[in-house]
Amino acid sequence: YNSDMDDKKIIFALDIGTRSVVGIVGAIKDGCFSILDYEQEFHEKRAMRDGQIEDIDLVAKVVNSVKNKLQERSGQTFTKVSIAAAGRALKTISASFCHDLIPNEPITEKLVQYMEYSAIDKAQQSFLNESDNLESNSKDYYCVGYSVTDYSLDNYKIKNLEGQKGSRAKTNIIAAFLPTSVLISLYAVTARCSLEVDNLTLEPIAAIHAV
């Protein structure tokens, strides 16, 4: 997205799939994503395999075509895009982080973020150690995101830590790693179409939210 329409933030998203490219234009309305327009175009030749881009030029041509058609119909100029990466080569690592709290001091949003990022750091270290044991090249993988599985406060599971008080807080996460080549090819395509990646998620996560 790069502009507002009737005071709504316009979002441009792409599903760069194995058989086709789907572009969607929408906006958030009443907490839900409202689709304004979409366009689908199929690859003329085999340009992708299992979500991995094999021919950047061919894929970029289709993406550009989808983008231009949606721009013409919406009257917008898209400079940013939200995309999803295929999860076929996805690797995940679970990790947790515990933090001793200051008595009678409420947990802040900043502290929750610190705990989550610390858990991510532990997940990355675990991934590096596991990769070393398997004699695989961990440098070829990149952490593309994470999901919080649950929080706990003084050994009791809790939905939201913010504002709570206690002695010890814990966060459990699952971090996701993808081959760097998958991301490099996706970013190469969007760059050739004069698009900056504003949001990146995983296709399995995007599908879950869509359902």
Side-chain angles (χ1 to χ4, degrees), residues 175-204:
F177 297 82
L178 273 181
T180 307
S181 59
V182 173
L183 299 177
I184 289 175
S185 58
L186 275 173
Y187 276 75
V189 166
T190 54
R192 292 195 186 192
C193 298
S194 302
L195 291 168
E196 177 188 345
V197 176
D198 191 55
N199 286 293
L200 170 70
T201 187
L202 296 165
E203 285 182 357

Side-chain angles (χ1 to χ4, degrees), residues 157-190:
K157 285 189 177 181
I158 194 166
K159 186 176 181 180
N160 189 355
L161 286 174
E162 191 174 345
Q164 302 283 353
K165 297 179 181 179
S167 300
R168 189 174 177 83
K170 182 180 180 181
T171 180
N172 297 307
I173 69 159
I174 295 178
F177 297 82
L178 273 181
T180 307
S181 59
V182 173
L183 299 177
I184 289 175
S185 58
L186 275 173
Y187 276 75
V189 166
T190 54

Side-chain angles (χ1 to χ4, degrees), residues 128-145:
L128 288 171
N129 293 336
E130 184 177 292
S131 298
D132 287 342
N133 292 335
L134 295 174
E135 297 183 353
S136 60
N137 193 348
S138 59
K139 293 181 180 179
D140 290 339
Y141 279 80
Y142 181 81
C143 183
V144 292

Side-chain angles (χ1 to χ4, degrees), residues 14 16 21 59-68 189 193 195:
L14 283 170
I16 304 174
V21 172
V59 175
K61 180 182 177 181
V62 178
V63 169
N64 226 17
S65 177
V66 169
K67 170 193 164 187
N68 291 335
V189 166
C193 298
L195 291 168

Side-chain angles (χ1 to χ4, degrees), residues 72 93 102 109:
E72 290 174 9
I93 291 287
I102 298 174
E109 180 184 2

Side-chain angles (χ1 to χ4, degrees), residues 110-140:
K110 188 175 181 180
L111 178 57
V112 174
Q113 289 179 342
Y114 163 74
M115 292 177 61
E116 291 178 8
Y117 295 155
S118 296
I120 293 170
D121 185 57
K122 291 182 70 174
Q124 289 177 321
Q125 290 302 318
S126 295
F127 183 77
L128 288 171
N129 293 336
E130 184 177 292
S131 298
D132 287 342
N133 292 335
L134 295 174
E135 297 183 353
S136 60
N137 193 348
S138 59
K139 293 181 180 179
D140 290 339

